[in-house]
Amino acid sequence: MSFILNPYRYAAPSSILTNLVSYWQLEEASGTRFDYHGTNDLTDNNTVTQATGKLGNAAQFTAANSESLTRADNASLSTGDIDFCFWAWVYLDTKTGVMIVLTKNNSATVREFLLRYNNGPDRFEFLIYDSGGNIVGTATANTFGSPSTATWYFLYAYHDSVNNLVGISVNNGTVDTGATTGAPADTAAAFRIGSTATASFWNGRIDSVGFKKAPLLTSGELATLFNSGSASEYPWS
Amino acid sequence: MPNLLDEITTRLGAQWGYLTQAQEAYRAAHGAYYQGAWTHTEAPTGGAEVAPDLDSHPLGQQATWRDVGGLPTTMAARLRIDTYDGPHGAGYVVVMQTRLDGVLWERRVNVGAETERESEWRPLFGEDAEEGGD
């Protein structure tokens, strides 16, 4: 007697799911954006709309309308001096000013981390802060360089608590790192996609955002998420 | 807190019923609360009463303050409305700003489930005053 195993039926869960906190597909047309993995559904502020995404649909942010998505602080979204990482597909309608992809930020003194486009150096950046809101780590995507408008980019940003580094890469390319110079803080700041508490509103689209509390993603996991520029969808198995 | 802020709060209180009624009427007709753009480009200074721009509106939303109503003819603080729609329901925040002795003051009044959005008059300094904080 012999057995034939169905490899699809018995496919192992993706390692990307291990220690995954939240994943927002951002498929919704309006209102609440649901967390497809965890419990951090996002509140819509000022009517974030919808546009064609990298995978399916994306959240379309209009900076002039002060649009954003938010979730109140809670233990699952809090970081501090631990390993954590984010990834997201982003699309710039314009390159006007500083524009926030995601952050935990209530003010200049109560903030935790921030992933943004900065029109000063014309780069994507990832920053983390101490308990006073001071920057204690910056990674700038200099290797990738200047992004274009109307183009999808895959951003990956992380904090490495063992080696005291922050890092950022674009389109699964070379990671640019920066050393941390202080203790990253866990604060009461709310989690936000598309702005700080009051400003720096994203003007464009954001799609498929993941947040994981774990050591760095492996090259294989990053390759799965980037999928040669085509992206891949939860649960990645 | 300067007495003038108390005065502005009193004036808003007299207008509050009109504003909330206008919001409920707008939601009944459109399925969502009205998002209001700033009524003034700059915050009124020193308690001066300044007429609001009734034609201002956010991009992609055609309705203006003139269509929605609920505003007084002159105001000593500028005002905008931030709407939200989340897991606990829909609501909105009325954000007011006025400038006294060079300091920009802001108050936020929440209508809806997300009560943590409310704040009393507070001075804005540094990056907050510049609408920054990133």
Side-chain angles (χ1 to χ4, degrees), chain B residues 23-41:
Chain B
Q23 278 286 39
E24 293 306 326
Y26 187 89
R27 188 185 188 196
H30 298 89
Y33 287 116
Y34 176 70
Q35 181 189 350
W38 281 120
T39 54
H40 305 69
T41 305

Side-chain angles (χ1 to χ4, degrees), chain A residues 177-230:
Chain A
T177 61
T180 57
T181 56
D186 170 15
T187 74
F191 177 74
R192 307 171 193 276
I193 293 179
S195 79
T196 66
T198 58
S200 301
F201 291 92
W202 187 261
N203 202 45
R205 306 176 209 176
I206 299 176
D207 196 6
S208 303
V209 178
F211 170 43
K212 183 167 172 164
K213 288 182 180 177
L216 315 188
L217 293 177
T218 66
S219 58
E221 291 168 340
L222 283 167
T224 296
L225 291 167
F226 183 58
N227 192 22
S228 302
S230 297

Side-chain angles (χ1 to χ4, degrees), chain A:
Chain A
M1 187 165 58
S2 63
F3 296 93
I4 299 174
L5 293 176
N6 181 339
Y8 297 101
R9 184 177 177 185
Y10 297 103
S14 169
S15 59
I16 298 170
L17 297 174
T18 305
N19 295 317
L20 182 68
V21 174
S22 290
Y23 182 72
W24 300 276
Q25 290 188 334
L26 302 177
E27 288 295 312
E28 298 83 0
S30 62
T32 301
R33 267 53 171 193
F34 295 101
D35 182 345
Y36 283 77
H37 184 80
T39 58
N40 292 304
D41 295 346
L42 302 174
T43 291
D44 169 85
N45 299 287
N46 292 334
T47 317
V48 175
T49 57
Q50 185 185 60
T52 300
K54 185 65 187 179
L55 286 168
N57 298 309
Q60 169 73 53
F61 297 80
T62 301
N65 291 348
S66 304
E67 296 172 0
S68 66
L69 302 170
T70 55
R71 178 76 186 189
D73 174 52
N74 63 66
S76 70
L77 289 171
S78 294
T79 58
D81 196 5
I82 63 171
D83 293 330
F84 64 93
C85 66
F86 289 95
W87 63 90
W89 286 89
V90 304
Y91 180 106
L92 295 151
D93 283 346
T94 61
K95 297 202 292 183
T96 44
V98 173
M99 301 196 296
I100 306 304
V101 178
L102 57 85
T103 185
K104 264 187 102 222
N105 181 310
N106 279 2
S107 70
T109 56
V110 182
R111 49 189 181 177
E112 220 165 299
F113 53 78
L114 185 148
L115 179 60
R116 69 183 180 186
Y117 166 75
N118 184 349
N119 73 327
D122 190 20
R123 297 287 188 271
F124 292 112
E125 296 177 325
F126 183 59
L127 296 81
I128 56 173
Y129 303 91
D130 66 13
S131 58
N134 305 297
I135 298 171
V136 291
T138 302
T140 303
N142 284 319
T143 301
F144 178 80
S146 170
S148 301
T149 58
T151 304
W152 282 104
Y153 294 108
F154 175 70
L155 303 184
Y156 164 57
Y158 66 82
H159 173 241
D160 177 348
S161 66
V162 176
N163 298 300
N164 296 319
L165 291 172
V166 286
I168 186 170
S169 71
V170 181
N171 289 347
N172 199 24
T174 300
V175 174
D176 291 298
T177 61
T180 57
T181 56
D186 170 15
T187 74
F191 177 74
R192 307 171 193 276
I193 293 179
S195 79
T196 66
T198 58
S200 301
F201 291 92
W202 187 261
N203 202 45
R205 306 176 209 176
I206 299 176
D207 196 6
S208 303
V209 178
F211 170 43
K212 183 167 172 164
K213 288 182 180 177
L216 315 188
L217 293 177
T218 66
S219 58
E221 291 168 340
L222 283 167
T224 296
L225 291 167
F226 183 58
N227 192 22
S228 302
S230 297
S232 62
E233 192 57 280
Y234 181 93
W236 307 289
S237 60

